[in-house]
Amino acid sequence: MAVCRVRPRLAGLLVNGLLLGGATITLLPLVWMVSVSLMSPGEASAFPPPLLPGRVTFANYRELFAHAGMGRYLVNSVVLTIVVTLVSVLFNVAAGYAFAKLRFAGRDRIFKVLLGALVIPSQVAMVPLFLLLKQLGLVNTYGGVIVPAMAGIFGIFVVRQYALSIPDDLLEAARIDGANEFRIFRSVIAPVLKPIVVTLAVFTSLGTWNDFMWPLIVLNDSELYTLPVALASLSREHVQDNELMMAGSVLTTLPVLLVFLVLQRYYIEGLTLGSVKG
Amino acid sequence: MRNVGAAWCFVAPALLVIAVFFFLPVVAGLAMSLTDFDIYALADSGNLRLVGLQNYAQLLQTPLFWQAFGNTLYFVVVGVPLSITVSFGAALLLHSRLVKFQAFFRTALFAPVVTTLVAVAVIWRYLFHPHYGLLNYALGLLGIPPIDWLGDPHWAMPAIIVFAVWKNFGYNMIILLAGLQSIPGQLYEAARIDGASMWQQFRHVTLPMLAPIVTMVNILTIAGYFQLFAEPYVMTQGGPLQSTVSVLYFMYEEGFKWWNLGSASAVAFVLFLFIFCVTAVQLRLARWQSAA
């Protein structure tokens, strides 16, 4: 700390200056995206690249909704995200709680197998999963995205770690009072698990919204495209339409950024819960 | 017993989903990689033949597979150290007592992590534009001539690495920051009393205390970087001259463009095996290091 004692002001300036530089680099592309999305078509293709629109216009957004089917993609993304989040959080929370606090044959062995399977990248399953869903008639339907995502090992793991800290006395007391296990789960456990439920919900919804490879594979009909899949396909067609693509990027990524800003405490807690404390 | 029945009700839905839609496909994938499953078998499973390890042997003779493997390795070997160094630097800066507005900076540096990969890849494709891109404009101000980032086979992968570091470093930054914050202050105090300089404190307190977290961050980041797909899909479509075809991009085209599903399964397993071995070596190294 010798340096800091001699020149605390200089060191402070350096630390904060570096952080300011870093924050500029992370935020500038996002701010520039919003700015270009408000420019008239062709305006951004100039040298030097303009930072602000000469005249603010929402023409690109109108164009996306009127001719590129953006409204439809938005609905697809919203519906899929909500359904996947609701179902998978329910299944993962119930299973995570049971692995932590209830007794059943083979519990620890099953959990170990699940943990071991975390090393398998999900892409290993994709080809056969596609064929399986084809057999079930789920390819090219919402179900093709929803069904495989209804439970996840990581979610179960995170909930279990959290639920381990629930004191057994709490459960015993409720059992002695004659409550059955489902009643206990609903009225005793659910309130205790609320923070981890919110964390998991935020994680799952952002992950589902942003997911690209699987929806790209399983959804072929453009009517069913989610925003990322639609945006990737549009960007291959409209390579030169800078302003239009930026408007598409805003619509795709702004919702998740806003959700993150509002609920970031839960999100960041989840990040460190799965790693440092686990 | 009633309790045991209830317990199964809690775990059954999740286990059923994971068994049917994850474990079953993984095992089926291994089996499929030993067959010549292609578009004809897709139409009629009577056309399916068992071919043993032929898919694997054929892959090893496919130049594009080796190119994809080499590209992916390039992305991992350069991208991961760069990414973790930036994460570590940012975490140390945020952890400094001198920092003002810590919450703001943390959120700002983390923001790219939560953005949609496809959307920000579209943004960066324009930032990398040879004529109108902000990046070449900024380089021009420094007197550096414009670079055709995504159009030059030598620059396309470095460009994707720059983008990936920008997108991902915030994730490990948060984990390393939590690690730094969990190191007890007394350790630094004791080191100071012993006359340790700032560098010595970093070398003999911070690094050893963070070692387990750094190992974990390394393993997860390497595994993640091996799964490169959406960046080349959106930004370069594998080009120019196939310089950004990744293993997963190759698998995607093999499986879902040409419908060689047996061969695509083999690609997936080669990738998995490789990630698995790299992870095992790292764990071994970490154990050996902590014992030494």
Side-chain angles (χ1 to χ4, degrees):
Chain A
M1 294 284 158
V3 186
C4 308
R5 237 179 291 133
V6 180
R7 297 223 174 93
R9 193 171 286 173
L10 196 69
L13 217 60
L14 188 69
V15 166
N16 289 291
L18 282 171
L19 283 171
L20 194 65
T24 309
I25 293 173
T26 51
L27 295 184
L28 189 67
L30 301 173
V31 174
W32 184 75
M33 158 185 79
V34 176
S35 171
V36 173
S37 78
L38 301 173
M39 292 181 189
S40 328
E43 194 180 343
S45 298
F47 192 87
L51 288 178
L52 292 171
R55 196 176 54 83
V56 171
T57 166
F58 289 93
N60 301 308
Y61 291 93
R62 271 197 299 273
E63 170 76 16
L64 280 176
F65 280 101
H67 296 115
M70 212 56 174
R72 179 72 213 202
Y73 308 137
L74 199 62
V75 170
N76 291 338
S77 272
V78 169
V79 170
L80 286 173
T81 300
I82 289 176
V83 175
V84 166
T85 304
L86 286 180
V87 177
S88 80
V89 166
L90 179 70
F91 284 6
N92 287 338
V93 168
Y97 160 68
F99 273 116
K101 286 287 145 186
L102 301 179
R103 252 165 251 135
F104 54 94
R107 180 185 77 171
D108 296 339
R109 206 172 314 144
I110 297 173
F111 189 69
K112 249 187 212 143
V113 171
L114 288 181
L115 270 192
L118 271 176
V119 300
I120 307 174
S122 62
Q123 294 90 352
V124 170
M126 278 181 179
V127 171
L129 183 60
F130 177 83
L131 292 176
L132 176 66
L133 293 177
K134 196 168 171 308
Q135 286 297 314
L136 297 173
L138 291 174
V139 164
N140 222 358
T141 68
Y142 278 172
V145 174
I146 295 168
V147 170
M150 289 192 306
I153 298 174
F154 186 73
I156 296 176
F157 171 71
V158 173
V159 174
R160 175 183 174 268
Q161 294 307 98
Y162 194 90
L164 282 174
S165 64
I166 300 173
D168 284 321
D169 303 347
L170 197 67
L171 298 173
E172 285 312 320
R175 282 184 193 131
I176 289 166
D177 288 346
N180 72 32
E181 292 296 331
F182 301 102
R183 184 77 204 278
I184 295 174
F185 182 70
R186 228 185 25 229
S187 42
V188 181
I189 300 303
V192 182
L193 289 182
K194 204 171 149 199
I196 194 69
V197 170
V198 177
T199 299
L200 191 60
V202 175
F203 247 82
T204 311
S205 53
L206 296 197
T208 309
W209 182 278
N210 290 339
D211 195 15
F212 176 62
M213 192 171 180
W214 182 247
L216 175 75
I217 289 172
V218 84
L219 304 172
N220 305 315
D221 186 353
S222 69
E223 283 283 287
L224 293 172
Y225 279 179
T226 59
L227 282 169
V229 178
L231 189 65
S233 139
L234 281 175
S235 83
R236 286 183 163 202
E237 282 168 41
H238 298 259
V239 179
Q240 299 304 328
D241 299 334
N242 218 332
E243 300 78 13
L244 190 73
M245 291 319 302
M246 286 308 123
S249 298
V250 170
L251 288 172
T252 306
T253 205
L254 207 60
V256 275
L257 270 175
L258 291 178
V259 168
F260 165 70
L261 282 180
V262 174
L263 298 170
Q264 62 168 312
R265 189 165 62 88
Y266 294 98
Y267 189 92
I268 288 185
E269 227 160 70
L271 268 191
T272 47
L273 193 79
S275 50
V276 178
K277 292 176 202 158
Chain B
M1 240 173 79
R2 208 190 52 180
N3 279 356
V4 174
W8 278 108
C9 289
F10 281 104
V11 287
L15 286 187
L16 198 71
V17 170
I18 292 169
V20 175
F21 298 104
F22 187 61
F23 282 106
L24 180 68
V26 168
V27 176
L30 192 56
M32 271 180 71
S33 75
L34 307 174
T35 71
D36 67 345
F37 206 119
D38 57 12
I39 196 158
Y40 302 106
L42 200 59
D44 174 9
S45 55
N47 291 324
L48 191 64
R49 278 182 316 134
L50 208 63
V51 294
L53 294 175
Q54 205 176 299
N55 284 326
Y56 293 91
Q58 208 146 43
L59 271 185
L60 301 184
Q61 289 166 22
T62 307
L64 186 55
F65 173 73
W66 283 105
Q67 166 120 36
F69 194 76
N71 292 340
T72 309
L73 217 53
Y74 179 7
F75 180 70
V76 172
V77 168
V78 179
V80 171
L82 203 61
S83 178
I84 292 182
T85 308
V86 175
S87 307
F88 208 169
L92 285 171
L93 286 173
L94 282 178
H95 188 57
S96 160
R97 265 174 306 174
L98 302 166
V99 59
K100 306 221 167 71
F101 314 112
Q102 196 215 30
F104 165 76
F105 281 128
R106 195 183 61 171
T107 304
L109 294 177
F110 187 74
V113 175
V114 292
T115 57
T116 310
L117 182 52
V118 172
V120 286
V122 168
I123 302 174
W124 276 81
R125 210 176 62 179
Y126 288 110
L127 292 178
F128 282 132
H129 194 283
H131 305 307
Y132 311 124
L134 277 183
L135 199 66
N136 273 349
Y137 176 66
L139 289 178
L141 295 180
L142 300 172
I144 299 170
I147 296 171
D148 189 3
W149 291 100
L150 298 172
D152 181 334
H154 296 290
W155 283 108
M157 191 52 93
I160 286 184
I161 291 173
V162 168
F163 166 63
V165 170
W166 175 85
K167 172 84 172 76
N168 298 322
F169 83 91
Y171 189 91
N172 289 330
M173 175 190 80
I174 293 294
I175 291 174
L176 290 168
L177 180 63
L180 286 171
Q181 286 165 343
S182 71
I183 299 175
Q186 299 108 294
L187 289 182
Y188 290 105
E189 242 162 76
R192 263 198 298 277
I193 292 168
D194 289 345
S197 70
M198 221 167 131
W199 167 247
Q200 282 169 326
Q201 288 178 37
F202 178 75
R203 175 74 190 73
H204 297 288
V205 178
T206 311
L207 280 185
M209 289 300 284
L210 276 185
I213 295 177
V214 171
T215 302
M216 192 205 64
V217 160
N218 266 325
I219 290 175
L220 292 179
T221 310
I222 289 178
Y225 272 51
F226 265 114
Q227 296 168 30
L228 175 68
F229 173 72
E231 294 88 338
Y233 186 93
V234 174
M235 294 169 86
T236 58
Q237 293 160 46
L241 294 180
Q242 294 163 337
S243 60
T244 56
V245 172
S246 66
V247 175
L248 277 184
Y249 192 88
F250 180 79
M251 181 199 96
Y252 173 79
E253 297 233 302
E254 192 70 4
F256 298 103
K257 191 168 165 194
W258 309 116
W259 299 103
N260 293 323
L261 296 170
S263 161
S265 296
V267 176
F269 270 91
V270 171
L271 181 68
F272 169 42
L273 204 68
F274 200 79
I275 296 177
F276 187 81
C277 291
V278 172
T279 305
V281 168
Q282 279 178 285
L283 282 174
R284 189 65 59 84
L285 275 178
R287 217 166 292 153
W288 175 73
Q289 232 164 20
S290 66

